[in-house]
Amino acid sequence: MAKPKIKFVPNKLHVKTGDTVYVISGKDKGKVGKIVKVFTKKGKVVVEGINIVTKHMKPTQMNPQGGVVEKAAPIYTSKVMLYCDKCGKPTRISKKVLDDGKKVRICKHCGEVL
């Protein structure tokens, strides 16, 4: 059996579950949403309200009605950028160690802790 072809997957992702992100490319370019789930091995994230697809579901015990269901599909992490709520724009991050030894991510534009 052939190994499935997967695009380049980074060792470490720049986003975490719960982060607010800005979509920089694709059909949902310019939208902002919150990360619901992260797939580190695939290098993808599920963002609520972004990349909505329709799926035809058969009736089951869990869903006796069946029918067409809309759900958010995964999107590559390279297509999203961290969004700073304070300055209201997408940003890159810098990392800093605080006095108490805690590592934090900082917005490059305004210097706010994300």
Side-chain angles (χ1 to χ4, degrees), residues 8-101:
F8 169 76
V9 179
N11 294 334
K12 201 170 182 186
L13 302 179
H14 65 286
V15 288
K16 301 191 281 191
T17 304
D19 284 346
T20 306
V21 291
Y22 177 87
V23 181
I24 56 174
S25 70
K27 66 179 183 181
D28 293 318
K29 181 179 180 178
K31 290 185 181 176
V32 176
K34 191 165 266 205
I35 293 183
V36 179
K37 192 166 184 180
V38 177
F39 300 101
T40 50
K41 288 203 162 77
K42 293 182 180 179
K44 291 185 173 189
V45 291
V46 175
V47 184
E48 74 182 25
I50 306 292
N51 199 21
I52 300 294
V53 293
T54 55
K55 185 172 172 127
H56 299 302
M57 302 290 283
K58 272 187 164 181
T60 59
Q61 284 185 338
M62 299 267 294
N63 184 12
Q65 189 64 34
V68 181
V69 177
E70 288 189 342
K71 60 182 256 180
I75 185 173
Y76 279 104
T77 54
S78 60
K79 292 187 173 196
V80 298
M81 216 172 166
L82 218 57
Y83 186 80
C84 180
D85 294 323
K86 186 181 178 197
C87 49
K89 49 187 167 182
T91 181
R92 288 176 295 162
I93 57 166
S94 64
K95 294 183 180 177
K96 186 178 180 182
V97 179
L98 297 177
D99 295 333
D100 59 349

